[in-house]
Amino acid sequence: MNRTDRMHAVSEELRRAGTRGRTAQRLADWLEVSPRTIKRDVAALQQAGLPIWATAGPGGGYVLDAAATLPPVNLTPAQAVALAVALAGASEAPFAADGRAALEKLLDVMGPGARETARDLGGRVWVRGGARRPGPASVVEEALLRRRVVAIRYRDDAGTVSRRRVEPHLLARTGDRWYLVGWCRLRDAPRWFRWDRIEAADLTAEAAPARDPAAFGTPPPDAHAVRVPTCP
């Protein structure tokens, strides 16, 4: 597990623990790292603005401020299962891991009865989905999120492997496949990279410059961006 994923796991575990908190040793045992590593990760989360407090004395540890936790969510069991079905049917999609983490947050704050009903209903819905490759996908997602150049190892249609530095512009699904659409530094031109052919990816420290969207082509009439509703 890389540091970014580990820090996310620490914050989510503290969120679940609530006022009980977690000791550095318990978090270290859970993540199979040293307590010193956990202390460094918590310090980095605190510097990033996450309100984590350290409690002293026997049984002391780390507690996430209640202001950073979700209030009760009025989600019906059917709504929870609908989200789970969507995620299960798109396990290879971008940000699928984040979607599963978000669903866990919602399940955590549902009432026990509703949560049990949702789990029972979900057990009676079967989905056959593709396998998720967490390594390269998570790095590409982070590159898009942070607008950073990403270095990838890519296998083309003919099986030839090349190494590219790509400025990520967008992720697109067409037909039954996902693509990374970006500016290829090797070709000095826009390129579509098939998601499942990206064999490795490394995030660089270089910011991806803004480019004219027209350089990447015009989407077909039936294509649309993912819409995230805003609060009223």
Side-chain angles (χ1 to χ4, degrees):
M1 179 182 292
N2 62 40
R3 191 185 186 208
T4 300
D5 291 341
R6 189 176 63 244
M7 288 170 62
H8 176 73
V10 168
S11 66
E12 289 307 301
E13 181 63 15
L14 292 178
R15 195 184 305 278
R16 292 190 180 98
T19 57
R20 294 168 297 169
R22 291 286 185 265
T23 65
Q25 186 63 58
R26 180 168 176 175
L27 291 169
D29 292 343
W30 175 53
L31 293 171
E32 299 181 344
V33 295
S34 69
R36 179 173 296 182
T37 296
I38 293 297
K39 291 176 182 178
R40 286 199 299 263
D41 289 345
V42 169
L45 288 168
Q46 290 171 325
Q47 291 175 2
L50 198 65
I52 299 175
W53 315 115
T55 58
Y62 298 111
V63 177
L64 181 63
D65 192 290
T69 61
L70 283 171
V73 177
N74 187 22
L75 200 67
T76 69
Q79 289 169 341
V81 171
L83 294 174
V85 169
L87 290 167
S91 58
E92 79 289 355
F95 301 105
D98 296 282
R100 288 190 293 272
L103 179 59
E104 286 297 328
K105 289 182 184 179
L106 293 172
L107 290 172
D108 283 345
V109 295
M110 288 176 66
R115 185 165 58 244
E116 186 59 33
T117 300
R119 294 193 189 281
D120 176 70
L121 179 59
R124 291 182 281 128
V125 180
W126 285 18
V127 176
R128 187 177 184 181
R132 168 81 170 172
R133 296 185 303 116
S138 62
V139 175
V140 174
E141 291 164 1
E142 187 174 0
L144 186 71
L145 178 66
R146 299 174 61 183
R147 298 180 182 274
R148 296 284 185 84
V149 174
V150 62
I152 65 172
R153 186 174 73 233
Y154 186 72
R155 185 177 298 274
D156 64 16
D157 292 350
T160 303
V161 176
S162 62
R163 288 171 171 77
R164 318 279 188 104
R165 291 173 73 87
V166 179
E167 302 167 11
H169 178 68
L170 59 86
L171 301 175
R173 181 178 177 87
T174 178
D176 60 349
R177 300 192 186 280
W178 280 97
Y179 294 84
L180 165 64
V181 183
W183 190 271
C184 177
R185 294 283 182 83
L186 179 65
R187 303 301 183 194
D188 194 27
R191 287 290 186 272
W192 287 53
F193 299 97
R194 231 175 76 174
W195 194 246
D196 59 346
R197 288 181 179 158
I198 300 175
E199 298 186 340
D202 293 297
L203 188 68
T204 75
E206 183 182 357
R211 292 187 181 272
D212 183 355
F216 299 92
T218 303
D222 59 344
H224 58 85
V226 173
R227 303 298 181 190
V228 178
T230 56
C231 296

